[in-house]
Amino acid sequence: MQQLNCCVLIPTYNNAGTLKRVLDGVLEYTPNILVVNDGATDRTAEILSDYAQITTIHLPKNKGKGNALKIGFAEALKAGYHFAITIDSDGQHFPEDIPVFLDALEQGDTRNALYIGARNMAQSDVPGKSSFGNKFSNFWFRFETGKRLTDTQCGYRLYPLKEISALKLHTPKFEFEIEVIVKAAWNGTLVENVPVKISYDGEERVSHFRTVPDFARISVLNTWFVIVAIFYIKPRDFFRKIKKKGIKKFLIENVLKHNDPPKKKALSIALGVFLGIAPFWGFQTLLVFALAVFLKLNKAIAFAFSNISIPPMIPFIVYASVQLGVLITGEDISFSMESLTENFGALKHLKTYIIGSLTLATIASVLFGAISYLVLILTAKRKIVTDNG
């Protein structure tokens, strides 16, 4: 704890029945403890008065766990700590797991890491609503960040204080613990699980999680994060990856040499091309990621090829779509490329354009998919021959 400049941060609210045991357990490992009393109305203040060696912050009014954690992080950083391990005061966490977080930090490749305790959610005393809520949270965290975790809701965590202080965090209650890990992952912090023990003593433990309002707040937050992820984070990360590697290297490493089988890659390319050409303007990115996840295809490849409809290509795609629509419907439409680029006159005939656009998207996706599949198959065979000498 001393070498890593780490403290233990304990937010507490009306957990007088378990607080003393938690404090005594943590003190066996470190005196670097900071407690934030979030406006408790029970014996919390009286209990804390017996621990002069512990830094305590007493908030006059209960404003939520997220608010208490933010205040605690700021105080810990001000005191010179680099990391903070958060542990709940309701007795569900075991202080003897503190070394698990320290070992993970010491053995990891980076100190810019946020470690979350991974509970055994299959043990008999875990409430059903906790297990469901965790699975729900894990799913959305993966969608929003691309990172798979087994537990995203455990409050037993190690935070890198400097990196967390750089984030713009707004939520005040339980949803804060979702906000902070999603934004940390978006900002480049490694977010990983470490195994911890858990105790759900129904007689002793007091939980302040309100199922309906708190779950609703978390759902609203996840809805917003999904929108941000689709329209900003995923495109940002994609273009950063291309910029860093270069287009040629990106195609070789992320398309040709990716571990996905040729069929999956080709179908991902076909999906991207189809949605890039089809008349789903404004919703292409959303549809690409949603369908890629639903169909279990490669999201990066599908998104890359959906960009076939970049601005310089749009007039040509619209022109070809209208011409195909004319062939199919027999409707007589006369226009030039000049009028198309100036006022999109062809879009006055929306039905013809949509029919032609969907036809062009289908033809192009089949061609791109088939050609890609053949190229990928030949590349794979050539690689096998080369590897075998």
Side-chain angles (χ1 to χ4, degrees), residues 9-37:
L9 172 60
I10 307 174
T12 185
Y13 174 67
N14 287 356
N15 281 127
T18 52
L19 179 59
K20 185 178 187 306
R21 189 180 80 236
V22 172
L23 292 173
D24 291 341
V26 175
L27 279 169
E28 293 182 13
Y29 292 89
T30 179
N32 303 336
I33 303 175
L34 191 149
V35 178
V36 180
N37 173 12

Side-chain angles (χ1 to χ4, degrees), residues 337-353:
M337 282 296 295
E338 182 180 354
S339 64
L340 176 64
T341 55
E342 288 179 355
N343 56 24
F344 281 81
L347 296 185
K348 295 176 181 177
H349 306 275
L350 191 59
K351 177 183 175 182
T352 303
Y353 161 69

Side-chain angles (χ1 to χ4, degrees), residues 57 98 106 119 156 175 250 264 268 364:
I57 299 174
I98 287 175
E106 282 193 310
R119 302 161 293 178
Y156 207 173
E175 70 274 14
F250 172 82
K264 184 174 182 179
S268 301

Side-chain angles (χ1 to χ4, degrees), residues 9 25 108 155 211 225 239 253 277 296 334 382:
L9 172 60
T211 303
F225 278 167
F239 286 114
E253 292 184 359
I277 295 176
K296 297 182 179 179
S334 59
R382 191 178 304 160

Side-chain angles (χ1 to χ4, degrees), residues 1-106:
M1 296 290 288
Q2 298 292 348
Q3 292 173 357
L4 293 171
N5 251 352
C6 183
C7 69
V8 173
L9 172 60
I10 307 174
T12 185
Y13 174 67
N14 287 356
N15 281 127
T18 52
L19 179 59
K20 185 178 187 306
R21 189 180 80 236
V22 172
L23 292 173
D24 291 341
V26 175
L27 279 169
E28 293 182 13
Y29 292 89
T30 179
N32 303 336
I33 303 175
L34 191 149
V35 178
V36 180
N37 173 12
D38 189 21
T41 56
D42 59 3
R43 294 179 53 252
T44 293
E46 180 183 340
I47 293 171
L48 290 174
S49 67
D50 293 332
Y51 293 87
Q53 72 274 45
I54 292 177
T55 301
T56 58
I57 299 174
H58 296 278
L59 304 182
K61 186 178 180 181
N62 174 251
K63 292 187 176 181
K65 187 178 183 181
N67 180 68
L69 285 172
K70 282 186 282 189
I71 290 173
F73 290 152
E75 187 65 26
L77 196 60
K78 183 180 176 182
Y81 292 111
H82 296 165
F83 301 94
I85 294 175
T86 59
I87 183 170
D88 291 346
S89 63
D90 59 3
Q92 66 170 303
H93 302 146
F94 290 80
E96 53 262 40
D97 281 329
I98 287 175
V100 173
F101 292 93
L102 302 177
D103 290 343
L105 186 61
E106 282 193 310

